[in-house]
Amino acid sequence: GGHEHFKEYCRWEIIKPRKEGNRKRCSGGALMTGPPGTGKTMIAWALAYEAGVNFLQVDLGKVFGGVVGETEKNMRKLIEAIEAAAPCIAFFDEVDSVLASGRSGGGDSGTSARMFNNLMTWLSDPGRQGKVVALMASNRPDLLDAALIRAGRIDVKIPMLPPVKGVNKGRWSILAAQTRKQKMVLSPELEATKDKAGQGLGQLLFDKKRIWTGAEIEQLLVSAYRRMTRQERKVDGKLDFTIQLDDWNHAFKVVVPNTRSVEKMINLALEHVDNFDYCPLDWIARAEELQAAMPDAA
C-alpha cells in the first residue's frame, strides 16, 4: 500500500528497461531511507517479482571473519555469488549498521576499510548495469559515507515514509493491503466507519496527532484480530472470524505508535533527498524546508 513515488521509479527505471532488454537504461540501484516498518524489504521483494528476476537479501555482517584475510575472501565470494545470480535484485538491508564508519573504521587492521572499498569498486563497475540492481535500505543515511551513496554507485536516494498525519487515503491503502495480506475480514459496520473521523477505522485514518507506519497499522489489525478470536463469537453455530467495531476500538486504545522516533528518522530521510521526482508528494514541502535550513545550503 502506498509508495507510489517508488513504484513509479521501479516501473520506468528498472522493470520496463529490463523487460525491453535495454541494459543501458536500467538503474544501477537506489538507497531507500526512512524509519523501520515502512515496507522497504517487502517492496524490494515485490520489485524482483514484477521485474521477473532473482532476489538476494544480503547480510554484510556475515562477511566478517575471525581470521586475517577471511573477510576479504568472503567479500569476493559474495560479489561472485551476486553476479552468478544475475539478473537479480541485491537488497542490502540496514547498511548503516555495518558500513556506518565507511573507510574510517579502526581497530580491525583496516579490514572494514578494505571491505568497504571492495564494495564501492563493485558498485562502480559499469559491467553490472542491467544485470544487478543494488537496493540499499537505511534508517540512518547520515551515518553512511557520502562516497558509497554518490551518483554512479547508487543512482538516487528515495525516502520510504509513512503517510503524513491525518491523510486518510495513504493509511487506507496500507490497511487494505494488510487486510488482504493477512486474509482478514472487516465487518460491514466497521468498514462503514472508514469515512467517519473519530469513529472506528476513522480513528486511525484521520488521526492528526500521530504518525502510523505500515508495521504499526499491521500491529493494530493483528491486535483487533486476536481480540476477535478470544471472543469466540458464533453465527449459526459456527465461529465467526469477522473483525467487529468493538475489536477495532479496543486495539486502537492499546496499540501506541512510536511517533517521536519516527519523526526523527523521517527528517533524516528528507534531508538526503536528491531528486524531488522520487519524494512522496505530501512530504516535499517539509523536505525543501529541512534542506534550506541545513548549514551547507547557504
Side-chain angles (χ1 to χ4, degrees), residues 9 12-15 17-18 22-31 47 82 88-92 119 122-136 148 150-156:
Y9 174 79
W12 290 100
E13 305 299 328
I14 299 174
I15 298 172
R18 274 288 319 151
N22 190 343
R23 285 180 52 190
K24 290 183 179 180
R25 274 277 297 111
C26 189
S27 168
L31 173 68
L47 168 59
I82 293 173
C88 66
I89 303 292
F91 179 63
F92 299 77
L119 180 61
W122 176 71
L123 287 171
S124 302
D125 183 2
R128 74 175 178 88
Q129 187 170 11
K131 296 180 179 178
V132 179
V133 177
L135 290 183
M136 295 187 175
L148 176 68
R150 70 160 174 80
R153 292 192 175 108
I154 294 297
D155 292 350
V156 67

Side-chain angles (χ1 to χ4, degrees), residues 27-39:
S27 168
L31 173 68
M32 298 187 286
T33 61
T38 53

Side-chain angles (χ1 to χ4, degrees), residues 38-268:
T38 53
K40 294 185 283 292
T41 304
M42 177 69 72
I43 206 165
W45 273 99
L47 168 59
Y49 178 81
E50 291 287 339
V53 299
N54 294 317
F55 180 84
L56 300 179
Q57 188 160 347
V58 182
D59 183 353
L60 287 174
K62 292 183 178 178
V63 171
F64 288 96
V67 180
V68 174
E70 188 178 359
T71 299
E72 293 86 339
K73 182 180 178 182
N74 290 342
M75 192 65 200
R76 288 194 297 271
K77 284 184 176 179
L78 171 62
I79 290 172
E80 288 171 4
I82 293 173
E83 291 179 342
C88 66
I89 303 292
F91 179 63
F92 299 77
D93 199 6
E94 298 182 357
V95 287
D96 51 273
S97 64
V98 178
L99 301 176
S101 58
R103 290 167 291 187
S104 61
D108 59 1
S109 302
T111 299
S112 296
R114 287 193 294 275
M115 187 192 84
F116 180 83
N117 288 332
N118 287 341
L119 180 61
M120 288 206 305
T121 301
W122 176 71
L123 287 171
S124 302
D125 183 2
R128 74 175 178 88
Q129 187 170 11
K131 296 180 179 178
V132 179
V133 177
L135 290 183
M136 295 187 175
S138 174
N139 305 328
R140 293 291 307 274
D142 56 313
L143 298 179
L144 295 172
D145 193 308
L148 176 68
I149 54 177
R150 70 160 174 80
R153 292 192 175 108
I154 294 297
D155 292 350
V156 67
K157 305 175 191 74
I158 302 182
M160 305 292 286
L161 307 179
V164 297
K165 297 174 183 176
V167 175
N168 63 318
K169 182 180 177 182
R171 288 176 177 174
W172 172 248
S173 69
I174 293 172
L175 181 61
Q178 292 287 5
T179 304
R180 290 193 301 271
K181 174 188 169 185
Q182 302 288 350
K183 296 181 180 178
M184 296 178 182
V185 179
L186 308 181
S187 72
E189 180 191 17
L190 176 57
E191 194 155 349
T193 63
K194 72 183 181 72
D195 297 317
K196 300 176 181 178
Q199 298 181 41
L201 299 177
Q203 296 174 93
L204 165 71
L205 302 179
F206 295 93
D207 188 352
K208 295 182 179 180
K209 295 181 180 179
R210 298 171 295 183
I211 289 178
W212 291 82
T213 65
E216 289 165 342
I217 292 174
E218 182 176 22
Q219 183 185 6
L220 192 59
L221 188 62
V222 169
S223 179
Y225 181 84
R226 286 176 177 163
R227 183 184 187 275
M228 175 269 293
T229 58
R230 290 196 297 269
Q231 302 305 306
E232 295 187 329
R233 290 185 289 260
K234 292 185 178 181
V235 175
D236 297 329
K238 295 182 180 179
L239 285 173
D240 178 20
F241 292 104
T242 303
I243 298 174
Q244 303 292 336
L245 180 59
D246 286 348
D247 303 321
W248 178 267
N249 287 341
H250 177 80
F252 193 78
K253 242 182 234 182
V254 298
V255 175
V256 182
N258 193 14
T259 301
R260 186 176 297 179
S261 295
V262 168
E263 287 269 21
K264 292 177 183 176
M265 293 183 191
I266 287 172
N267 288 344
L268 284 172

